[in-house]
Amino acid sequence: MSSADSVTKDLKVVNSYIKTVTMNSIPEIPVISQHLIGSGGKRIRPYLVIMSSRMFNVPKKDYVKVAAAVELYHSASLLHDDVVDNAKQRRGIPSANHVWGNKNSVLVGDFLLARTSSIIANMRNHDLLELFVGVLGHMAEGELIQMQLSHKPDLTEDDYFSIVKKKTAHLISASCESGAIVGNADQQFRKVLRRYGLLIGMAFQLIDDNIDYTSMSKVSGKDKWADIKEGKVTLPMTVALLRATNKEKAFLKRVIIEKKGKFEDYPKVHEIIKKYKGFDYTKNKAEDFADKALQYLNTLPPSLELDEMRKFTHSVVDRKY
């Protein structure tokens, strides 16, 4: 069995474990959990837990639990984000809040966070627990900052990177570092994987923000134009706002500020961003982050897992959905 095949097999075990820990006598909990978790997703966070854990010979029974906990953290954040954003779609299907309402979505998200905390606490590893408590704080801070800056066209590149780091990159970083922690690796290996995770997490989100404008919904599973509908200013838009003519800037600002955007405006937004190379700039930044991430990987001892993570790093910036 190839390394990739064995990871696929492990991810199936992770999914089975998630189903087990989200079973509950209150029907909304397993139904909403599986509606989201069972709808797909790239599973990059549990994948990275598995890869980093195997590097340090962590027993499968342990890394399956951590990988499941990471995916539950991520799923809980998506349930909460969709309520905050009043999203109608997630992964190509109606979002949980759209089907079951905001209250059910928030409470099931809270349940998933509680279940995650229980899994991590039962690992009896103080460093691991401290890591994920910190991540939870970062994610909440990132969502609050993004909410405060929504519909505001003056968001800077530094603001954007701060949000991405808190909302996305810290959890991906924790996914990488967790294997080193559970495997009792030394501080240097932990630092390498932590930094790698932060950098590849940044690259992943930058490409995601390009995809929001450029990919078809049926292919990506994302609701196309979701960011601009929700008033989120991401890097492609920031670049266009800096480079556009005054007339074009006025148009972009109107679209961002409006609480209920007009669908017919969105293709023009795409045209302006493309004209001023906002997508190219964002892709180049993502490639820079990925290149730096690879430099960290290259300091680790050779292994099949390391080879797989190098392939993964290249795939992050090449993906179209």
Side-chain angles (χ1 to χ4, degrees):
M1 182 185 294
S2 70
S3 179
D5 289 339
S6 66
V7 173
T8 300
K9 187 175 179 181
D10 279 354
L11 285 171
K12 289 180 180 178
V13 177
V14 171
N15 287 339
S16 296
Y17 184 75
I18 287 173
K19 284 185 179 180
T20 300
V21 299
T22 54
M23 288 304 296
N24 195 279
S25 60
I26 300 172
E28 287 81 3
I29 291 174
V31 169
I32 292 176
S33 298
Q34 284 308 309
H35 175 81
L36 176 62
I37 298 168
S39 65
K42 300 170 185 67
R43 298 290 193 269
I44 69 162
R45 295 156 189 86
Y47 165 85
L48 290 168
V49 172
I50 293 168
M51 287 291 101
S52 63
S53 296
R54 287 181 172 187
M55 284 182 181
F56 303 102
N57 299 311
V58 175
K60 182 174 179 177
K61 64 181 179 62
D62 290 335
Y63 69 67
V64 163
K65 291 177 183 177
V66 179
V70 165
E71 188 65 12
L72 289 172
Y73 251 66
H74 177 54
S75 298
S77 74
L78 296 183
L79 288 172
H80 288 162
D81 285 359
D82 284 348
V83 170
V84 171
D85 299 335
N86 194 29
K88 300 293 188 294
Q89 190 179 55
R90 168 69 65 180
R91 294 173 179 166
I93 62 174
S95 59
N97 57 299
H98 189 56
V99 177
W100 289 279
N102 288 342
K103 292 180 181 178
N104 280 323
S105 289
V106 168
L107 292 171
V108 172
D110 290 346
F111 173 86
L112 296 184
L113 288 177
R115 183 63 78 216
T116 299
S117 300
S118 176
I119 293 169
I120 296 296
N122 286 333
M123 299 291 293
R124 300 289 189 269
N125 186 312
H126 180 268
D127 285 357
L128 189 69
L129 181 59
E130 187 174 51
L131 176 68
F132 282 101
V133 169
V135 168
L136 189 56
H138 286 304
M139 291 168 72
E141 289 170 359
E143 186 61 42
L144 283 166
I145 295 169
Q146 186 172 70
M147 190 166 59
Q148 290 165 358
L149 294 174
S150 68
H151 298 285
K152 294 185 179 178
D154 56 348
L155 180 138
T156 67
E157 189 169 314
D158 285 344
D159 291 332
Y160 169 78
F161 284 135
S162 177
I163 292 168
V164 170
K165 188 175 181 181
K166 288 178 180 293
K167 280 198 65 178
T168 301
H170 274 295
L171 183 56
I172 292 176
S173 175
S175 302
C176 296
E177 188 180 355
S178 62
I181 291 174
V182 180
N184 296 313
D186 64 32
Q187 287 294 329
Q188 181 58 29
F189 286 134
R190 284 181 55 175
K191 181 181 178 181
V192 166
L193 285 165
R194 183 189 314 137
R195 292 298 304 162
Y196 166 80
L198 276 172
L199 290 162
I200 201 60
M202 298 294 288
F204 180 88
Q205 188 59 50
L206 264 67
I207 296 299
D208 221 44
D209 290 339
N210 262 358
I211 288 170
D212 183 78
Y213 287 98
T214 59
S215 180
M216 296 300 293
S217 302
K218 64 180 73 174
V219 175
S220 69
K222 293 185 67 175
D223 183 7
K224 193 176 183 182
W225 317 113
D227 287 344
I228 193 62
K229 287 177 186 175
E230 294 158 11
K232 294 177 183 175
V233 178
T234 55
L235 192 57
M237 176 69 83
T238 299
V239 172
L241 283 166
L242 285 172
R243 298 175 175 176
T245 65
N246 288 337
K247 184 178 179 180
E248 290 166 333
K249 285 179 184 177
F251 168 75
L252 293 176
K253 288 179 178 180
R254 175 181 65 76
V255 173
I256 292 164
I257 292 168
E258 283 181 346
K259 299 294 182 182
K260 293 184 179 179
K262 299 173 184 175
F263 182 80
E264 59 267 24
D265 287 337
Y266 300 150
K268 186 176 178 182
V269 171
H270 180 279
E271 180 185 315
I272 294 171
I273 293 173
K274 186 175 181 180
K275 176 181 177 181
Y276 293 103
K277 301 190 182 302
F279 302 125
D280 293 339
Y281 182 89
T282 301
K283 175 96 182 278
N284 289 339
K285 281 286 185 182
E287 289 173 344
D288 288 344
F289 281 120
D291 287 344
K292 290 174 183 174
L294 281 171
Q295 290 174 26
Y296 277 97
L297 282 188
N298 290 337
T299 67
L300 295 171
S303 66
L304 290 175
E305 289 76 23
L306 183 61
D307 292 342
E308 286 294 325
M309 287 179 74
R310 285 198 186 99
K311 292 177 188 176
F312 166 78
T313 304
H314 290 295
S315 73
V316 164
V317 292
D318 291 335
R319 68 193 181 93
K320 305 298 181 186
Y321 56 89

